[in-house]
Amino acid sequence: MSHDENTARLKRPDLSLEENNYLLMLGERIRELRARRGMTRKMLAQQSGVSERYLAQLETGHGNISIILLRQIAEGLGFPLVDIVREEPEQSPELTLLVQYLSRFPPKTHEWARRVLQGELESSARDARRQRVAFIGLRGAGKTTLGTMLAEQRGVPFLELAKVIEQEAGAELSEIFSLYGQSAYRRYERRALEAVAEQHEAFVLVAGGSIVSEPATFDLLLSSCFTIWLRASPEEHMARVMAQGDYRPMKGNQEAMEDLKRILAGRSAMYGKADAIVDTSGKSLDESFSEVLEAIAR
């Protein structure tokens, strides 16, 4: 079936072509964000209290008409939809004007602008930031092994953000998710990272692979630590996790590899914002550690 035929099949007759295209775009965005979070549709249904059936409709462009009505209200007010549904306090006029100013330029300039602004604001803290090294990436990339080696070599504390979160919450991660949901976990994650940065001048930190899914927390990590993305191929990620005796990635899921590839693809753009990237695919532990040291020294 061609793309045009598929689009025609998905169209709702009660909506205009432009409205149908908007719902399709919204569905694709939700699928992308779900992949970036590493969540299945079933997991999202459990966390949100929204049925899998409705999520499936939403992701295929059959969202509820109320979505279109809310969009029309935003357009009538002359505000972006995100400003209507935002839960946090209204942003300052300066930030609103800054975002509006940057939106006039093509996306390729946004990275340059962020680095210029970050450099101006953090020039005095740049050397101090290199005393705090944080590893990011998916499971099986070597974060814990290389992080432990680096902490021993530098004589600084080795910290796993997951364990700090458990200390902050007074519960194991599984309990936090089952009792309070993902939103509570994200709050504890931010709180744990703030505590680590406040209590230690130097450390090696292993962050959870999904930290990039929370922009504010990830920005705090980037601004307070020298961040290294440990990258590996999906095949190596899977093989290393299973070599450690953890067969959960394959349990009851024949499409585990495709899921892993989608998660990696969804997060790669944010992982790429790290100060350095070290690819551990096909390399020995010593080779990878040497590249980590070189990345920090550059």
Side-chain angles (χ1 to χ4, degrees):
M1 183 177 291
S2 69
H3 174 73
D4 290 341
E5 290 173 332
N6 191 50
T7 300
R9 182 175 62 83
L10 292 172
K11 281 172 55 179
R12 289 180 48 164
D14 56 326
L15 300 177
S16 69
L17 176 61
E18 190 270 341
E19 290 170 337
N20 270 290
N21 288 338
Y22 174 76
L23 288 178
L24 283 169
M25 178 276 296
L26 180 64
E28 290 172 2
R29 182 171 297 167
I30 290 172
R31 283 199 304 274
E32 177 187 331
L33 292 174
R34 181 165 59 79
R36 194 181 302 171
R37 292 278 191 186
M39 302 176 75
T40 64
R41 193 179 289 160
K42 183 176 183 179
M43 291 169 61
L44 180 55
Q46 292 172 340
Q47 293 292 331
S48 65
V50 176
S51 71
E52 284 187 69
R53 181 173 177 273
Y54 180 76
L55 288 175
Q57 291 176 335
L58 190 59
E59 291 186 3
T60 55
H62 290 79
N64 192 287
I65 187 62
S66 60
I67 297 173
I68 296 296
L69 295 178
L70 183 60
R71 180 171 176 248
Q72 290 174 345
I73 292 171
E75 290 175 349
L77 289 170
F79 283 99
L81 181 58
V82 67
D83 287 348
I84 303 296
V85 299
R86 181 187 289 120
E87 292 185 14
E88 63 270 18
E90 187 174 356
Q91 61 191 26
S92 69
E94 289 77 14
L95 181 57
T96 300
L97 291 173
L98 178 60
V99 172
Q100 185 64 35
Y101 177 75
L102 289 175
S103 68
R104 291 161 45 193
F105 296 90
K108 64 182 181 181
T109 65
H110 297 167
E111 169 67 10
W112 171 82
R114 185 184 71 84
R115 291 193 178 276
V116 169
L117 184 59
Q118 187 176 25
E120 288 293 323
L121 294 175
E122 299 176 11
S123 58
S124 61
R126 193 169 293 132
D127 291 338
R129 197 166 63 90
R130 283 183 179 268
Q131 301 304 311
R132 301 166 166 179
V133 179
F135 289 103
I136 60 174
L138 296 182
R139 292 174 62 205
K143 300 192 298 285
T144 300
T145 302
L146 291 171
T148 302
M149 293 171 64
L150 182 62
E152 291 177 353
Q153 193 246 28
R154 295 189 133 201
V156 298
F158 172 71
L159 304 168
E160 293 180 274
L161 193 58
K163 292 183 178 179
V164 181
I165 292 171
E166 290 180 335
Q167 292 171 358
E168 286 284 327
E172 295 183 356
L173 294 186
S174 58
E175 292 181 272
I176 297 173
F177 278 104
S178 63
L179 294 176
Y180 309 113
Q182 184 159 159
S183 59
Y185 168 79
R186 294 299 171 192
R187 290 195 297 272
Y188 281 119
E189 182 181 50
R190 174 63 183 253
R191 196 179 305 168
L193 182 57
E194 289 173 338
V196 167
E198 185 177 319
Q199 296 167 11
H200 301 276
E201 292 185 358
F203 55 75
V204 174
L205 176 72
V206 170
S210 65
I211 194 170
V212 296
S213 302
E214 197 65 27
T217 305
F218 186 49
D219 181 67
L220 175 62
L221 184 75
L222 292 175
S223 61
S224 58
C225 303
F226 183 86
T227 311
I228 301 175
W229 173 20
L230 293 182
R231 182 173 60 187
S233 67
E235 292 76 15
E236 289 219 34
H237 277 295
M238 185 72 75
R240 290 172 185 173
V241 171
M242 294 182 69
Q244 296 167 4
D246 187 351
Y247 294 93
R248 286 175 298 172
M250 300 302 294
K251 186 177 181 181
N253 186 3
Q254 298 302 316
E255 299 179 353
M257 182 58 70
E258 289 304 312
D259 288 342
L260 182 59
K261 289 178 179 178
R262 280 194 293 269
I263 292 170
L264 187 57
R267 294 177 182 173
S268 289
M270 293 298 280
Y271 281 152
K273 302 300 180 185
D275 295 287
I277 301 173
V278 173
D279 197 322
T280 63
S281 296
K283 295 173 184 172
S284 68
L285 189 57
D286 288 339
E287 288 173 332
S288 296
F289 188 59
S290 293
E291 290 196 23
V292 167
L293 295 178
E294 291 174 9
I296 297 172
R298 277 199 293 270

